Amino acid sequence: MARYQAGMLVVYGNLGVHEIEAVGPQSFCGEPAKEYYTLRPYFSDSHDRSYIPTEKERVLRPVSPAEQITADFERIKAEEISASASNNQTVLAEHYQAVLHTNDFYEYLKLYKELYQKQNAQRSRGRKVNTMDNHFYQMVERVLREELAAAFSEPLENAEKRLMAAVS
């Protein structure tokens, strides 16, 4: 039995907020039909669709409720976040990927704050922002912005302001 129903908004890993268009049998490449979620990117006019087998629904999670996000924002403001101790790009990439694989709003928020602080520190020293750090920063920022916009029923621009206020 599928956990999610058509019409629900879910976060699909680092791909952002998607609307479940349908839940039902699909057959690809001559394989026997299986139950799939048909997902549409919520903040895109694209005709792209993703098909996720219902047995792999752990890659999805419901959009966090506004009340939970508000509580997480209060928590993140008070929490001291330190940048990863390593300067090794491979170790950092593994750390960032591990956080993204949690598919957890608060973990994404912590990573966003970590990268935000790291980039500000680099700029204040007159240094360029690391390309890899910037890539992960933009990725996690987009997902968080989309989730905020969906949870608070607001435009992405307002969600961005809300996100910046939470970490600065």
Side-chain angles (χ1 to χ4, degrees):
M1 176 80 186
R3 176 176 165 196
Y4 303 111
Q5 305 303 315
M8 288 183 72
L9 295 181
V10 294
V11 179
Y12 177 24
N14 63 1
L15 298 177
V17 175
H18 285 66
E19 180 178 9
I20 297 176
E21 284 191 330
V23 182
Q26 296 280 341
S27 178
F28 298 99
C29 302
E31 293 284 324
K34 294 192 318 190
E35 286 280 306
Y36 280 85
Y37 292 109
T38 303
L39 305 177
R40 178 188 63 79
Y42 189 66
F43 290 99
S44 171
D45 293 333
S46 155
H47 295 289
D48 291 343
R49 298 296 181 268
S50 297
Y51 300 92
I52 308 298
T54 56
E55 75 246 12
K56 296 191 179 192
E57 67 187 15
R58 68 188 172 284
V59 300
L60 307 174
R61 68 173 170 80
V63 168
S64 300
E67 302 80 30
Q68 182 62 49
I69 290 173
T70 301
D72 285 345
F73 276 1
E74 291 304 315
R75 192 169 141 208
I76 198 72
K77 285 179 186 179
E79 188 171 342
E80 289 293 321
I81 305 288
S82 59
S84 180
S86 179
N87 287 327
N88 181 310
Q89 294 296 293
T90 303
V91 171
L92 285 173
E94 288 172 356
H95 163 63
Y96 300 155
Q97 287 289 347
V99 171
L100 292 175
H101 282 108
T102 66
N103 197 19
D104 178 88
F105 177 82
Y106 192 71
E107 291 300 316
Y108 275 41
L109 193 56
K110 283 180 16 183
L111 178 59
Y112 180 76
K113 185 173 181 178
E114 174 186 338
L115 291 167
Y116 175 81
Q117 291 174 343
K118 189 174 179 181
Q119 289 184 356
N120 282 346
Q122 288 290 93
R123 287 185 187 110
S124 71
R125 287 188 230 124
R127 293 185 175 166
K128 286 184 175 182
V129 172
N130 178 291
T131 303
M132 182 186 69
D133 288 348
N134 191 49
H135 168 75
F136 282 99
Y137 175 83
Q138 288 176 351
M139 183 185 311
V140 76
E141 178 187 43
R142 182 183 52 76
V143 174
L144 288 169
R145 251 189 11 244
E146 286 186 9
E147 186 162 9
L148 291 172
F152 289 97
S153 300
E154 64 186 11
L156 288 168
E157 297 78 26
N158 292 11
E160 184 172 359
K161 290 175 190 170
R162 189 184 296 265
L163 182 58
M164 290 305 298
V167 298
S168 53

